[in-house]
Amino acid sequence: MKRIELENGGFTVAEIAEITGGSILGGADKTVTSVSTDSRECTNGTLFVAIRGENFDGHNFIKETIEAGAVCAICERIVDGTVSIGGALVIVPDTVVALGKLAQEYLRRLATDVVCVTGSVGKTTTKEFIYSVLNEKFNAHKTEGNFNNELGLPLSVLSMKKDASTAVFELGMSFKGEISYLSKIARPKIAAITNIGNSHIENLGSRENICAAKLEITDGLDPDGYILLNADEPLLFARKDDFSQKTLLISMQNPKADFRALNVRTYDDYSIYDLVLPNRVVTNIQIPTIGMHNVFDSVYAFVIGLIMGMSDDEIKRGLMKFKNTGMRQNVYEHGSITIIEDCYNAGPESMKASLDVLSKVAAKNGGRSIAVLGEMRELGEYSKQLHMEIGKTVAAKKIDMLFTFGHDAENIVLGAVNHGYPAEKIGINGDTDAPERAALAIRNALRVSDTVLFKASRALKLERVIEYLKKELDANSLSD
């Protein structure tokens, strides 16, 4: 990763040791003005944080970072020769934890209002909606990319500009305790949980355990803060009275919710809806994307805008500036077909939502709907059942053709066929090392005006199939 320039005047080595609870070897009065976990990015004034990774141990590169001008290294053991060439070491039990403590102090000094978002599905989209809204009135900061774990969050915090008045951080997890740790670093004023799905059920064992892990977001929540919960999720709705902070319920179905979206109208590339508030109704809220899940995610942003003192018009303007990130539901035309590229991640809930979008876009275009679906990872013993449920959805929505990618994705086929889906409309590729073969099969089935959805867990890198498909289409035009 790139070197992060600190905008709070930096830290002295003595301050770093005090904040992290480390011991100093070398000069304590030197000041660091930037931070990096990549030894190649270290230069004059840099603090190098030595991380032990799967493939590399940062401790092996400490000496060369000092030689390149780094002022100090946070490390877990003494590295001979570094002090003699002018560097300093802050020795700690765990460098990742030390980085988190440094980020926590950096955030405290900036005195920024923090919003944290988690959930099994939709947290990145919700984060982007919230950022778009808050940035309409405030100078907002947000988590970039997938920097939402024990290493990524501190780096996101440290990259904040000193004039940022609000920040939106996404909190990810795989195991119990991880969100609690991140929440205590960020200390949010507002915490939002989008939903409870089946992602990471392999690690946590049940949806109830996933719910408990997501609710750890309140562990660092301001005692006078707010928690926003999905009232359409029974596991979250049942916990609505468990918190001392102000709890607000978001819904599209539950009449007991504080905020409920209704009268959703879908157009070519945007949606309009009305929002019922506790004492009034806001009409004609527009977002530049389609899909009921996107409407739902945008409601969180509207409510947070209200909490932050924004007017309805300011919030509406912010929502219209929303842009999705990476490979998340990117809809575009390539030649005579429409591609829905949603290759960043996949769970059962987001897979079903994407199939709904596919149906609507294909209906608008007047062509066929084609789903290219890959494996959903981290589902453990529930994997077969949950893949089969996706197949059931494919059949129920009458998707015109189904292609699968990856061995476990063949259970999607099984679920579809069991619910009456015609076998002749199915293509199977279990070899994820052969994306070109999958692309050729899809190319041979395509017609002008077709809409094709690509959706899979990130590990499959389904975008490879898209790139091969585009080459095939560029080389050979389609017939009607």
Side-chain angles (χ1 to χ4, degrees):
M1 63 155 293
K2 292 183 178 180
R3 183 178 65 257
I4 295 171
E5 301 296 332
L6 300 173
E7 293 209 351
N8 69 334
F11 297 100
T12 66
V13 173
E15 286 179 314
I16 294 169
E18 182 180 359
I19 293 165
T20 63
S23 56
I24 302 173
L25 188 63
D29 57 345
K30 297 180 179 179
T31 299
V32 302
T33 56
S34 61
V35 176
S36 182
T37 59
D38 185 340
S39 61
R40 297 166 297 182
E41 291 290 331
C42 291
T43 185
N44 293 339
T46 302
L47 167 67
F48 175 58
V49 184
I51 305 295
R52 289 178 289 107
E54 293 183 4
N55 300 315
F56 298 100
D57 184 348
H59 293 77
N60 296 332
F61 303 96
I62 289 177
K63 188 174 181 180
E64 67 183 57
T65 66
I66 300 299
E67 291 173 338
V71 170
C72 175
I74 296 179
C75 53
E76 297 170 8
R77 64 174 187 265
I78 296 174
V79 178
D80 293 337
T82 53
V83 175
S84 63
I85 57 175
L89 302 179
V90 174
I91 304 164
V92 297
D94 187 315
T95 55
V96 174
V97 171
L99 181 64
K101 290 179 179 179
L102 197 66
Q104 186 181 46
E105 173 61 17
Y106 186 80
L107 194 55
R108 187 193 67 80
R109 293 184 183 186
L110 292 182
T112 302
D113 286 329
V114 172
V115 179
C116 285
V117 182
T118 193
S120 296
V121 180
K123 56 183 174 289
T124 300
T125 302
T126 304
K127 179 253 301 182
E128 292 296 330
F129 270 121
I130 296 169
Y131 170 79
S132 295
V133 166
L134 294 180
N135 205 44
E136 184 65 20
K137 182 174 183 178
F138 308 100
N139 189 6
H141 175 81
K142 66 177 178 177
T143 301
E144 295 291 349
N146 61 347
F147 277 35
N148 62 8
N149 60 15
E150 62 179 3
L151 184 58
L153 175 67
L155 295 174
S156 292
V157 169
L158 291 169
S159 67
M160 287 177 61
K161 304 301 182 184
K162 62 183 178 182
D163 59 351
S165 54
T166 63
V168 189
F169 296 120
E170 175 184 328
L171 308 187
M173 55 149 279
S174 296
F175 295 94
K176 179 181 178 181
E178 292 178 343
I179 288 182
S180 176
Y181 173 76
L182 298 176
S183 177
K184 291 173 183 176
I185 291 174
R187 300 288 182 184
K189 173 181 178 179
I190 304 170
I193 305 178
T194 59
N195 50 48
I196 304 300
N198 292 285
S199 299
H200 310 303
I201 199 167
E202 179 180 14
N203 300 332
L204 293 166
S206 69
R207 292 184 72 250
E208 289 76 12
N209 289 343
I210 294 171
C211 181
K214 297 298 183 185
L215 286 167
E216 291 172 4
I217 196 172
T218 62
D219 289 355
L221 183 61
D222 187 326
D224 297 319
Y226 296 79
I227 178 166
L228 279 59
L229 300 178
N230 178 347
D232 295 336
E233 167 51 64
L235 291 174
L236 289 174
F237 186 68
R239 301 291 300 273
K240 66 183 185 301
D241 299 320
D242 291 359
F243 310 100
S244 59
Q245 293 91 347
K246 177 70 172 176
T247 303
L248 300 176
L249 301 175
I250 312 297
S251 174
M252 297 190 72
Q253 302 169 5
N254 191 336
K256 296 182 179 180
D258 301 293
F259 301 87
R260 181 160 57 98
L262 74 169
N263 192 24
V264 178
R265 292 90 78 194
T266 300
Y267 299 92
D268 286 355
D269 55 1
Y270 66 96
S271 303
I272 297 177
Y273 65 94
D274 303 328
L275 183 62
V276 178
L277 281 67
N279 55 0
R280 61 191 178 94
V281 177
V282 180
T283 60
N284 298 324
I285 300 169
Q286 183 172 333
I287 58 174
T289 186
I290 63 173
M292 298 298 280
H293 57 300
N294 287 319
V295 170
F296 191 86
D297 293 343
S298 74
V299 174
Y300 281 87
F302 199 103
V303 175
I304 289 170
L306 292 175
I307 294 171
M308 295 295 291
M310 297 178 66
S311 69
D312 293 352
D313 287 342
E314 287 173 328
I315 296 170
K316 285 182 175 182
R317 289 198 301 269
L319 287 174
M320 281 302 297
K321 294 177 182 178
F322 164 81
K323 292 181 180 179
N324 225 331
T325 60
M327 291 172 280
R328 291 177 172 87
Q329 205 177 99
N330 182 18
V331 183
Y332 59 92
E333 293 182 359
H334 187 87
S336 59
I337 69 166
T338 299
I339 293 175
I340 305 174
E341 183 175 353
D342 200 350
C343 303
Y344 186 79
N345 216 335
E349 295 77 19
S350 65
M351 191 78 85
K352 292 175 183 177
S354 293
L355 287 168
D356 184 58
V357 171
L358 169 62
S359 294
K360 290 177 179 177
V361 175
K364 178 202 74 173
N365 291 342
R368 298 179 304 164
S369 56
I370 298 175
V372 182
L373 307 180
E375 295 174 1
M376 300 177 291
R377 297 286 177 87
E378 297 187 12
L379 298 178
E381 62 183 291
Y382 300 92
S383 180
K384 181 176 180 179
Q385 171 191 342
L386 294 171
H387 279 90
M388 289 180 66
E389 285 184 11
I390 300 303
K392 179 181 177 181
T393 302
V394 169
K397 290 190 173 295
K398 295 180 169 53
I399 302 300
D400 290 304
M401 294 196 73
L402 169 65
F403 291 87
T404 61
F405 190 61
H407 177 71
D408 286 352
E410 293 175 18
N411 288 311
I412 297 175
V413 171
L414 181 59
V417 171
N418 284 352
H419 288 84
Y421 196 82
E424 62 270 19
K425 293 185 176 183
I426 297 172
I428 299 173
N429 186 340
D431 185 1
T432 56
D433 291 326
E436 69 283 359
R437 188 190 312 160
L440 183 59
I442 296 164
R443 161 64 183 82
N444 290 338
L446 284 178
R447 300 177 192 164
V448 169
S449 298
D450 283 346
T451 300
V452 191
L453 164 69
F454 293 85
K455 179 77 172 173
S457 283
R458 185 73 204 97
L460 271 72
K461 299 180 180 178
L462 191 59
E463 67 275 10
R464 296 175 297 157
V465 178
I466 299 176
E467 294 309 310
Y468 278 111
L469 176 62
K470 288 177 181 177
K471 292 177 182 178
E472 290 286 345
L473 292 170
D474 292 343
N476 300 285
S477 59
L478 294 176
S479 58
D480 294 334

